Amino acid sequence: MTKAQLTVLAGPTAVGKGTVVTALTKRYPTLKVSVSATTRDPRPGELNGVHYYFVSPQDFDAMIERGDMLEWALVHGNNKYGTPRGPVDEALNAGTPVLLEIDLAGARQVRAKRPDAQFIFLSPPSWEELERRLIGRGTEGAEEQARRLATARVELDAASEFDHVVINDDVERAVDELARLIGLE
Ligand code: 5GP
């Protein structure tokens, strides 16, 4: 059996990665979305093992030391996020396509380790729309919003490093395009 495709989806804060990925998996339940480990606290409604594996900084560092992380990064300067390697390899070996929704630094690490992966950048229709979405969702305070927007500027400049750029102007349209690129249709 040929190995299934590994796809990396990155894009700036508040571009709607979560919404797009949820819609994609609803339509294509066979796609496996990797569950990341993070040192950040759960938000209301987030479940351990579903949205993230919420781990202590000590446990996170132990995973890195054991070589359990395919990639990891300090995101927005305060918390660590990483992709546990085992479940990704298991799914790919079983012929299941896998999607990683990670930040730019993580995407670059995967590019170095898995050059056969496909890299997709989810982009906002405009900078103004990105600001509107970040402020509108109201999950971050002013200081965190400013930090995330600063990261977003850097991330947007890196779009040209990716194999494909998908513009999230409309969720269903973006899902159509992603499904085509991942080969789900
Ligand atoms: P949030 O705290 O809003 O859930 O996620 C913040 C950022 O962390 C998002 O941009 C997301 O792409 C990134 N992220 C989530 N999981 C991972 C991961 O496993 N590795 C890396 N490098 N970034 C991640």
Side-chain angles (χ1 to χ4, degrees), residues 17 36 40 43 52 71 75 81-83 101-103 148:
K17 279 174 290 181
S36 299
R40 86 151 160 75
R43 297 190 186 121
Y52 283 102
E71 60 74 34
V75 179
Y81 295 74
T83 304
E101 191 259 273
I102 59 178
D103 84 329
R148 284 178 178 237

Side-chain angles (χ1 to χ4, degrees), residues 14-26:
V15 71
K17 279 174 290 181
T19 309
V20 166
V21 171
T22 303
L24 187 67
T25 51
K26 204 168 159 201

